[in-house]
Amino acid sequence: MSNIPAVALNDGSTIPQLGFGVYQIAPADTAGAVRKALEIGYRHIDTAQMYGNEQGVGQAIRDAGLDRSEVYVTSKLNNSNHEPEAARRSFDATLQALGTDHVDLFLIHWPLPTRYGGDFVSTWNVLEEFAADGRARSIGVSNFQPAHLEALARGSRTVPAVNQIEAHPYYANDEVRAYGLQHGIVTEAWAPIAQGRVLADPTVTAIAARLGRTPAQVVLRWHLQRGDVVFPKSVSPARMRENSELFDFALDGQTMADISALDRGVAGRLGPDPDTFDWVPG
Ligand code: NAD
């Protein structure tokens, strides 16, 4: 896995295009799963305050005997911590849980435009502080729609390095991706294999059979060729390995188009609508 491409970010940093996501991995199981992923060769871990498992991520990196600089770590702000003081406190807690003095990337997890008086810009301004003092090497957002990104552009000079959004063959999310492309914001695709739902699609299984690859590999390869960053999640070592074997084959233009044609628009979306999602942990 030494051949994972590095994607350039607008702040001069780079991010490994393939990583390992830890959403819904129980805190007690996280160190073991991440240790396995690191053993297989993953060097980019995507966690979040709301996943409750940052500590296990930090533990695994130490257990693996890797230098902190060898692993790219992302975390994200809890929906309950958007107010500036809460954001600062919780960022300190993130670094403490990870046992590190910096994260490579820190994101606003959801814009929550119907909460906090619709003000996610002052939250963004707090993330700019973390970037300025070097404790977040890069900062970005997640689940931001173009209108939310426009609001940031009006209230800040810092363009987010990434926007992490739901994207997979059933929900290509191309409008938000196009905004990112125009403004130098890298797209990270969450739920890249639609949490497994796209793997039995006849178009995908036919392509997989023709190429002698698995459905997950075909779909992940489609994302990579679109230029997006992905971090599929699995607790099974065999699937972790499968999901990492993506760099010795390519999809031709027609095959890319056939997968892109599976897009169902918002009908294919699995997660909530970022314009109305307002959930805050109790
Ligand atoms: P995913 O698309 O990565 O699917 C994960 C599920 O698919 C696993 O639980 C497993 O059951 C199955 N799977 C994995 N590999 C497989 C394989 N090779 N063959 C068959 N089945 C396989 O979904 P996800 O975990 O929701 O998304 C990936 C990561 O994105 C998360 O872990 C998290 O880091 C991030 N994420 C971010 C947000 C956000 O709001 N920013 C939301 C959801 C997920």
Side-chain angles (χ1 to χ4, degrees):
M1 273 184 75
S2 53
N3 47 357
I4 298 172
V7 173
L9 302 177
N10 63 21
D11 58 10
S13 304
T14 60
I15 183 170
Q17 196 179 9
L18 175 70
F20 181 68
V22 298
Y23 175 48
Q24 289 179 329
I25 301 185
D29 300 337
T30 302
V34 173
R35 207 160 39 233
K36 195 71 212 172
L38 293 170
E39 221 173 275
I40 288 168
Y42 289 88
R43 289 293 180 270
H44 165 186
I45 311 295
D46 185 86
T47 183
Q49 293 178 348
M50 286 194 286
Y51 303 168
N53 57 18
E54 291 168 314
Q55 199 170 356
V57 172
Q59 186 63 49
I61 295 170
R62 284 187 296 280
D63 290 352
L66 291 167
D67 190 80
R68 174 66 188 83
S69 64
E70 294 177 81
V71 186
Y72 192 99
V73 179
T74 298
S75 193
K76 320 184 190 83
L77 185 70
N78 190 310
N79 288 353
S80 62
N81 296 336
H82 274 216
E83 279 163 2
E85 265 319 303
R88 292 186 188 104
R89 263 198 313 275
S90 74
F91 185 66
D92 290 345
T94 278
L95 295 183
Q96 194 167 12
L98 288 165
T100 175
D101 61 358
H102 73 279
V103 289
D104 296 280
L105 178 62
F106 195 66
L107 310 179
I108 299 180
H109 205 145
W110 288 90
L112 307 176
T114 62
R115 288 236 174 219
Y116 302 105
D119 176 20
F120 44 76
V121 176
S122 53
T123 310
W124 177 247
N125 296 144
V126 175
L127 265 64
E128 289 181 293
E129 296 172 14
F130 307 153
D133 67 22
R135 292 185 303 154
R137 297 281 156 85
S138 297
I139 53 173
V141 295
S142 179
N143 300 300
F144 273 48
Q145 303 281 52
H148 307 139
L149 296 165
E150 284 293 316
L152 289 190
R154 286 192 297 273
S156 155
R157 294 217 180 118
T158 312
V159 178
V162 310
N163 187 15
Q164 183 177 128
I165 56 172
E166 179 178 347
H168 44 75
Y170 288 157
Y171 183 47
N173 216 342
D174 281 335
E175 197 192 321
V176 182
R177 293 177 67 255
Y179 183 99
L181 204 59
Q182 276 160 18
H183 294 84
I185 303 169
V186 166
T187 295
E188 297 188 323
W190 68 251
I193 54 173
Q195 296 170 349
R197 287 172 181 77
V198 76
L199 302 181
D201 186 282
T203 299
V204 172
T205 54
I207 294 166
R210 176 162 54 79
L211 299 179
R213 297 284 166 165
T214 69
Q217 288 171 333
V218 164
V219 172
L220 292 168
R221 182 71 208 178
W222 172 80
H223 284 284
L224 297 178
Q225 288 185 213
R226 276 159 49 101
D228 293 353
V229 172
V230 286
F231 22 79
K233 173 247 169 184
S234 174
V235 290
S236 135
R239 283 178 173 174
M240 289 181 199
R241 197 166 281 111
E242 172 187 338
N243 295 345
S244 73
E245 290 168 349
L246 307 175
F247 301 102
D248 58 348
F249 74 109
L251 306 178
D252 62 24
Q254 185 57 53
T255 305
M256 287 294 292
D258 290 345
I259 299 172
S260 298
L262 299 175
D263 186 17
R264 300 172 178 172
V266 288
R269 181 163 62 200
L270 300 172
D273 179 349
D275 283 315
T276 53
F277 185 59
D278 66 353
W279 182 77
V280 168

